Amino acid sequence: MRDQIYRICNLLLEIGLTGQMVNQIIETYPAILGIGVDSQILAVIDFLEIELGLSEEELVKIVRGFPSLLAADVEKELQPRVQFLKDVGITNIGRIVSLAPSIFAMDIQTELVPKMRFLDKVGLSSFDLARFPTYFTYPLDSIIRPRLLFFAYLGFPLTSKPLQWILAPTDEDFCEKTLGGVHLKQYRDFKETLPPIQLPPTRRKRTFNPGSPAVTCDVSKMVYEVKADTRFEGFNRRYSELNRVYGVIPKQGRGKEVWDAKKDDWIWEGKGESPISRILDRQRRRNLKQDVQKEEEKSEDRPNDQNRPVPPEGRESASEPGGDDVQLW
């Protein structure tokens, strides 16, 4: 047993951890001392370094933050999740994993896929996910879904703000800073009117015990640039409606949104239109109206044939031999 402990501690030091970090890992996750070195730990480290191309700094961050990852099965747990990220369009897998290693602890069919399909449904893509990979760590029912729908309900284009500004702050900072001063009660009333969402039951085979935090972030110190948000068409009108009925949000359809694993999509079960469809359709119509207005403005700026001068009677255009048309008048 002593040789086992010595080999594990020595291996952790070799990959770049300090003695203090090793002590913290053993305190928070003592089961690491019983993990096989050759058959398990080295296999995981090789996968992270060779397959994902993690640097020494990124590897230290992951092992320090989630030491129980060293006990994961490479073929059954790590590779399928990496393949999922590739399937949804993520290219820099190493960066995503280093920023959100808890993805390896999430079930693909009941956690990762439903959240990704919701992101697709609201019109966002893997590009937005790559900029904020910790998106998967936020609960869908209490943060992701209500925040994005309320953001769209007020008339903001969902691509006008990074996902981090929408999901990371507290409810208070989300309303005050991200939305530019919307009353907190209005957001909470909106959440209460949303139909329930039926999440699929999780099937976690392993719970990864986190070690000491590898990265800490105080979202209250984030710099927001949101003072120009009112330039978006429809914001003032929607905001006036909310103020006029202070806290009274229009009722949503009766029903619930259910994850259908066979169809691999969110299905609306109930009367009326789903809140996602209604809110996003209104936003699409608004965007279409803006596009039409822009085209009309462009057409007004183009030269009009009716404004061309008319030659005096009896004088017409002619062509010079071998040359372009010239005006004879």
Side-chain angles (χ1 to χ4, degrees), residues 42-101:
L42 287 177
V44 174
I45 292 177
D46 288 344
F47 177 79
L48 296 176
E49 287 185 328
I50 299 175
E51 295 293 331
L52 302 186
L54 296 185
S55 64
E56 179 179 322
E57 181 182 357
E58 292 172 332
L59 181 62
V60 168
K61 183 188 298 184
I62 290 180
V63 174
R64 184 186 176 191
F66 284 84
S68 56
L69 186 64
L70 298 176
D73 188 289
V74 173
E75 293 185 359
K76 296 181 179 180
E77 295 176 316
L78 302 187
Q79 287 182 347
R81 285 155 182 79
V82 170
Q83 186 61 45
F84 165 79
L85 294 176
K86 292 180 179 179
D87 292 341
V88 300
I90 301 297
T91 55
N92 193 349
I93 306 293
R95 176 181 176 275
I96 301 297
V97 171
S98 65
L99 293 175

Side-chain angles (χ1 to χ4, degrees), residues 22 149 156 172 189 209 218 220 250 280 285 294 308 315:
V22 173
L149 291 183
F156 294 100
E172 291 78 5
D189 287 345
N209 299 317
D218 183 2
S220 64
L280 295 182
R285 290 195 297 269
K294 290 179 181 179
R308 295 178 59 183
R315 296 183 179 182

Side-chain angles (χ1 to χ4, degrees), residues 109-307:
Q109 297 302 323
T110 62
E111 293 181 281
L112 297 180
V113 174
K115 289 180 180 179
M116 190 64 212
R117 291 297 174 266
F118 182 84
L119 203 66
D120 295 336
K121 213 173 186 66
V122 298
L124 299 178
S125 65
S126 58
F127 173 78
D128 304 281
L129 178 62
R131 297 178 63 187
F132 188 55
T134 52
Y135 161 82
F136 286 115
T137 65
Y138 289 87
L140 181 61
D141 55 341
S142 60
I143 292 184
I144 296 176
R145 179 172 174 256
R147 292 274 183 95
L148 291 177
L149 291 183
F150 188 64
F151 197 80
Y153 174 78
L154 291 178
F156 294 100
L158 288 176
T159 55
S160 64
K161 292 288 182 291
L163 276 176
Q164 183 176 3
W165 292 13
I166 301 176
L167 303 180
T170 62
D171 286 350
E172 291 78 5
D173 286 343
F174 170 66
C175 293
E176 178 64 26
K177 298 179 180 179
T178 304
L179 297 179
V182 173
H183 201 284
L184 177 61
K185 186 177 185 300
Q186 296 171 342
Y187 171 61
R188 289 177 175 173
D189 287 345
F190 177 85
K191 287 179 65 176
E192 292 180 358
T193 63
L194 283 178
I197 184 172
Q198 182 175 321
L199 298 172
T202 58
R203 302 192 305 267
R204 291 189 182 182
K205 297 181 180 180
R206 179 192 300 274
T207 300
F208 291 113
N209 299 317
S212 57
V215 178
T216 58
C217 178
D218 183 2
V219 296
S220 64
K221 296 181 180 179
M222 292 173 58
V223 178
Y224 294 88
E225 299 176 0
V226 297
K227 296 304 180 183
D229 283 344
T230 54
R231 71 184 184 276
F232 295 120
E233 181 183 357
F235 173 82
N236 291 328
R237 178 177 56 81
R238 301 300 299 163
Y239 189 64
S240 298
E241 290 180 12
L242 291 173
N243 284 331
R244 180 162 45 88
V245 292
Y246 188 70
V248 180
I249 307 297
K251 292 183 178 181
Q252 310 287 352
R254 294 183 179 180
K256 60 182 178 181
E257 288 173 303
V258 180
W259 173 253
D260 191 326
K262 294 182 179 179
K263 296 182 179 180
D264 196 30
D265 200 1
W266 288 99
I267 305 300
W268 170 250
E269 294 183 354
K271 297 181 179 179
E273 194 177 10
S274 71
I276 294 179
S277 299
R278 183 173 58 257
I279 292 174
L280 295 182
D281 284 347
R282 182 168 59 236
Q283 189 178 57
R284 293 188 188 99
R285 290 195 297 269
R286 186 186 302 115
N287 295 338
L288 180 60
K289 181 180 177 181
Q290 291 177 348
D291 293 340
V292 172
Q293 291 177 347
K294 290 179 181 179
E295 288 296 328
E296 292 177 350
E297 293 175 357
K298 290 181 180 179
S299 62
E300 292 177 357
D301 295 336
R302 296 193 187 102
N304 196 331
D305 292 340
Q306 296 178 355
N307 296 329

